[in-house]
Amino acid sequence: MTMKAKKTIALIAHDNKKAEMVGWALRNKETLKNFDLCGTGTTAGLVAEATGLNVKKHLSGPVGGDQQIGAKIAERKIDIVIFFWDPLSAQPHDPDVKALLRIAVVYDIPIATNKATANCVISVSGNFAE
């Protein structure tokens, strides 16, 4: 088995958490430079615009982006998920969100759902086994 040169992080944020994701990405820009980045629609665009980092853009979550990220996890093309979800707002695509969380667990992918866990995950990302 060959190791990838860089780990890939998927960045996802619900509408009420997008500003928080952009702020987190700005504060962690130097660390994030060491990763390949992708994300769902608007989140990927906002992070790329704010940080200048290259973030591969998938569809928006409600129209299939969560499922695209899940498929990349199943293909072992995503190593870490940073998903700032809003637990206090109903999401019309909640089944997709749950499916994404489920596939991350099934494939043993670290998934951070807030700033505290995101900071922990990226700080040790080079130290966990494949």
Side-chain angles (χ1 to χ4, degrees):
M1 176 187 290
T2 59
M3 258 181 100
K4 291 191 316 186
K6 286 184 175 180
K7 290 189 184 326
T8 300
I9 297 178
L11 303 172
I12 307 165
H14 284 150
D15 288 344
N16 291 341
K17 298 290 186 171
K18 288 189 190 316
E20 188 175 332
M21 173 65 79
V22 168
W24 177 84
L26 281 167
R27 284 186 301 281
N28 291 284
K29 180 179 174 178
E30 291 305 310
T31 302
L32 291 174
K33 284 181 181 179
N34 300 313
F35 296 91
D36 288 326
L37 303 173
C38 67
T40 50
T42 307
T43 302
L46 290 170
V47 170
E49 182 179 330
T51 63
L53 297 170
N54 183 28
V55 184
K56 181 180 178 185
K57 193 173 179 180
H58 293 286
L59 295 172
S60 291
V63 295
D66 295 332
Q67 292 176 342
Q68 285 182 307
I69 299 291
K72 296 290 182 191
I73 290 170
E75 294 169 1
R76 303 215 180 263
K77 293 182 179 176
I78 291 178
D79 304 292
I80 299 166
V81 176
I82 308 293
F83 183 2
F84 290 0
W85 67 291
D86 183 358
L88 301 179
S89 295
Q91 301 297 325
H93 64 293
D94 194 54
D96 296 336
V97 172
K98 286 191 170 101
L100 176 62
L101 295 171
R102 184 178 307 110
I103 202 78
V105 171
V106 167
Y107 283 89
D108 204 24
I109 299 298
I111 184 162
T113 57
N114 57 34
K115 290 185 296 187
T117 54
N119 290 335
C120 290
V121 168
I122 66 166
S123 71
V124 299
S125 62
N127 298 324
F128 59 82
E130 293 291 327

